[in-house]
Amino acid sequence: MVLFDWVKTEPYMASLTLFTATTLHTKHGFGFQRIKLFPSKHHCVFSVSASASSSPLKALIFDCDGVILESEHLHRQAYNDAFTHFNVRCPSSSSSSSSSSVHFYDELQNQIGGGKPKMRWYFKEHGWPSSTLFETPPTDDDDRANLIDTLQDWKTERYKEIIKSGTVKPRPGVLRLMDEVKEAGIKLAVCSAATKSSVIMCLESLIGIERFQGLDCFLAGDDVKEKKPDPSIYITASKKLGVSEKDCLVVEDSVIGLQAATQAGMSCIVTYTSSTASQDFSDAIAIYPDLSNVRLKDLELLLQNLVAAK
């Protein structure tokens, strides 16, 4: 017996829920196994929810920006404020400050991880800028590094001010899932490519100091040499957690993060945002609009089925 139920999850996406009758080896003897299908232009993703007697899931690792909070528009605002404050003007846009549009920043942040690498790439492509820091564009590596460091530090402080305003909230389902994981004795981590002081302030404000201090591992962009999509941050997390990569599950929002996780040998689910929804997430084991309907048992069974299929 199969029942179908369509549920609208986004203006542009609905989820198809299949209820298949199956015999579950529990005291109830018979039950329903729920499978959610999230269609996309690339593929359908199966998310199965049913209790499992054992699970290979030993650690759940969250990205921060885009996963714990929708933040890219906030980062863009902070960068634009920094460029305006220092009157940053690239040769290709000398008539106005080098502020980025929503579309351009979405493309940039989905190609390059980390603020400093983004700026370095942009300045190489469009020319190194003049500013109140350097009246003429810097030409040597030290001055260029100084420019990027100063802009990034100012942007970080501006970003903190935005987060502290109290208008930013965690994405749906994040706090509940974190609490489920800790209660189950599964290790919990956060790995972000952003500046460490910024991520710490963000996590303390959004998930609370108690949850932040209860993390089994926390890594930021400062802790590794290479940014995502390089897998270094997740490989380092695996070692710090004392958990094999195959027993870790990562929650990401972008193809850059997905690539970092899979290259580290970890399975990954995606909770996309408006700026990443059209990306190719074919390497993810499940795709969700957010975590509001995702429970720990769903993730445990996803990994269990993945292991069984190998």
Side-chain angles (χ1 to χ4, degrees), residues 101-176:
S101 67
V102 174
H103 176 71
F104 175 79
Y105 187 76
D106 281 349
E107 286 190 345
L108 183 59
Q109 67 96 6
N110 289 327
Q111 294 175 10
I112 301 171
K116 292 182 181 181
K118 283 183 178 68
M119 284 191 284
R120 187 171 291 277
W121 178 89
Y122 182 85
F123 295 151
K124 283 183 177 180
E125 290 292 314
H126 298 272
W128 285 86
S130 61
S131 64
T132 56
L133 296 168
F134 295 95
E135 186 175 345
T136 59
T139 56
D140 65 75
D141 291 342
D142 288 342
D143 286 344
R144 288 176 173 180
N146 183 37
L147 172 65
I148 289 178
D149 288 346
T150 302
L151 290 173
Q152 183 67 27
D153 289 346
W154 197 97
K155 174 266 173 183
T156 297
E157 294 307 311
R158 175 66 182 124
Y159 181 74
K160 290 179 183 179
E161 291 176 0
I162 297 172
I163 297 295
K164 288 178 180 178
S165 68
T167 60
V168 184
K169 304 297 180 183
R171 293 190 71 189
V174 168
L175 301 185
R176 174 193 43 75

Side-chain angles (χ1 to χ4, degrees), residues 21 29 43 53 95 108 116 123 148 205 216 273:
H43 60 292
S53 58
S95 60
L108 183 59
K116 292 182 181 181
F123 295 151
I148 289 178
S205 297
D216 297 290
T273 66

Side-chain angles (χ1 to χ4, degrees), residues 238-250:
S238 173
K239 293 176 180 178
K240 285 184 173 292
L241 289 167
V243 176
S244 171
E245 289 90 345
K246 65 181 177 61
D247 296 329
C248 296
L249 178 62
V250 176

Side-chain angles (χ1 to χ4, degrees), residues 289-308:
D290 58 48
L291 295 172
S292 56
N293 293 316
V294 181
R295 300 295 188 271
L296 174 59
K297 62 183 180 181
D298 301 328
L299 303 183
E300 289 177 323
L301 199 55
L302 275 173
L303 281 190
Q304 181 176 307
N305 291 344
L306 189 66
V307 171

Side-chain angles (χ1 to χ4, degrees), residues 13 41 50 54 68 76 78 100 105 108 117 127 138-139 160 163 165 172 186 194 203 205 222 244 258-259 273 303:
M13 178 172 286
K41 67 178 182 180
S54 61
I68 294 176
R76 174 179 169 271
S100 60
Y105 187 76
L108 183 59
T139 56
K160 290 179 183 179
I163 297 295
S165 68
I186 295 170
L203 292 176
S205 297
D222 314 53
S244 171
L258 172 61
Q259 290 169 351
T273 66
L303 281 190

Side-chain angles (χ1 to χ4, degrees), residues 1-309:
M1 179 174 64
V2 179
L3 304 177
F4 296 85
D5 181 27
W6 280 97
V7 181
K8 192 73 175 294
T9 57
E10 290 286 331
Y12 49 86
M13 178 172 286
S15 67
L16 173 62
T17 302
L18 285 68
F19 292 87
T20 59
T22 181
T23 301
L24 302 178
H25 299 289
T26 67
K27 63 180 180 181
H28 302 293
F30 183 84
F32 286 95
Q33 187 175 42
R34 186 180 68 195
I35 304 178
K36 281 191 175 181
L37 303 180
F38 292 99
S40 73
K41 67 178 182 180
H42 305 293
H43 60 292
C44 283
V45 180
F46 290 70
S47 172
V48 185
S49 64
S51 58
S53 58
S54 61
S55 169
L57 179 58
K58 300 296 186 293
L60 185 64
I61 306 175
F62 285 80
D63 178 32
C64 184
D65 291 317
V67 173
I68 294 176
L69 75 159
E70 288 221 38
S71 57
E72 294 309 329
H73 65 293
L74 305 177
H75 283 290
R76 174 179 169 271
Q77 177 185 338
Y79 276 117
N80 284 345
D81 289 349
F83 295 155
T84 299
H85 179 78
F86 291 104
N87 197 23
V88 175
R89 297 173 183 272
C90 288
S92 60
S93 57
S94 58
S95 60
S96 61
S97 63
S98 299
S99 297
S100 60
S101 67
V102 174
H103 176 71
F104 175 79
Y105 187 76
D106 281 349
E107 286 190 345
L108 183 59
Q109 67 96 6
N110 289 327
Q111 294 175 10
I112 301 171
K116 292 182 181 181
K118 283 183 178 68
M119 284 191 284
R120 187 171 291 277
W121 178 89
Y122 182 85
F123 295 151
K124 283 183 177 180
E125 290 292 314
H126 298 272
W128 285 86
S130 61
S131 64
T132 56
L133 296 168
F134 295 95
E135 186 175 345
T136 59
T139 56
D140 65 75
D141 291 342
D142 288 342
D143 286 344
R144 288 176 173 180
N146 183 37
L147 172 65
I148 289 178
D149 288 346
T150 302
L151 290 173
Q152 183 67 27
D153 289 346
W154 197 97
K155 174 266 173 183
T156 297
E157 294 307 311
R158 175 66 182 124
Y159 181 74
K160 290 179 183 179
E161 291 176 0
I162 297 172
I163 297 295
K164 288 178 180 178
S165 68
T167 60
V168 184
K169 304 297 180 183
R171 293 190 71 189
V174 168
L175 301 185
R176 174 193 43 75
L177 185 56
M178 284 185 168
D179 291 343
E180 283 188 47
V181 167
K182 292 299 289 185
E183 289 170 7
I186 295 170
K187 292 186 176 181
L188 182 66
V190 172
C191 292
S192 171
T195 305
K196 193 161 196 170
S197 61
S198 174
V199 184
I200 290 174
M201 184 279 307
C202 183
L203 292 176
E204 289 181 343
S205 297
L206 294 177
I207 72 173
I209 294 177
E210 184 175 348
R211 285 191 187 89
F212 175 65
Q213 293 178 342
L215 293 175
D216 297 290
C217 176
F218 163 63
L219 294 173
D222 314 53
D223 296 313
V224 290
K225 291 182 178 180
E226 300 295 332
K227 306 286 188 182
K228 301 174 185 178
D230 186 275
S232 298
I233 196 165
Y234 287 126
I235 293 173
T236 302
S238 173
K239 293 176 180 178
K240 285 184 173 292
L241 289 167
V243 176
S244 171
E245 289 90 345
K246 65 181 177 61
D247 296 329
C248 296
L249 178 62
V250 176
V251 187
E252 276 283 358
D253 70 300
S254 70
V255 70
I256 286 180
L258 172 61
Q259 290 169 351
T262 55
Q263 288 176 29
M266 298 180 181
S267 299
C268 182
I269 66 170
V270 167
T271 60
Y272 57 82
T273 66
S274 58
S275 68
T276 65
S278 63
Q279 293 183 6
D280 179 7
F281 296 129
S282 55
D283 287 335
I285 64 172
I287 303 171
Y288 306 100
D290 58 48
L291 295 172
S292 56
N293 293 316
V294 181
R295 300 295 188 271
L296 174 59
K297 62 183 180 181
D298 301 328
L299 303 183
E300 289 177 323
L301 199 55
L302 275 173
L303 281 190
Q304 181 176 307
N305 291 344
L306 189 66
V307 171

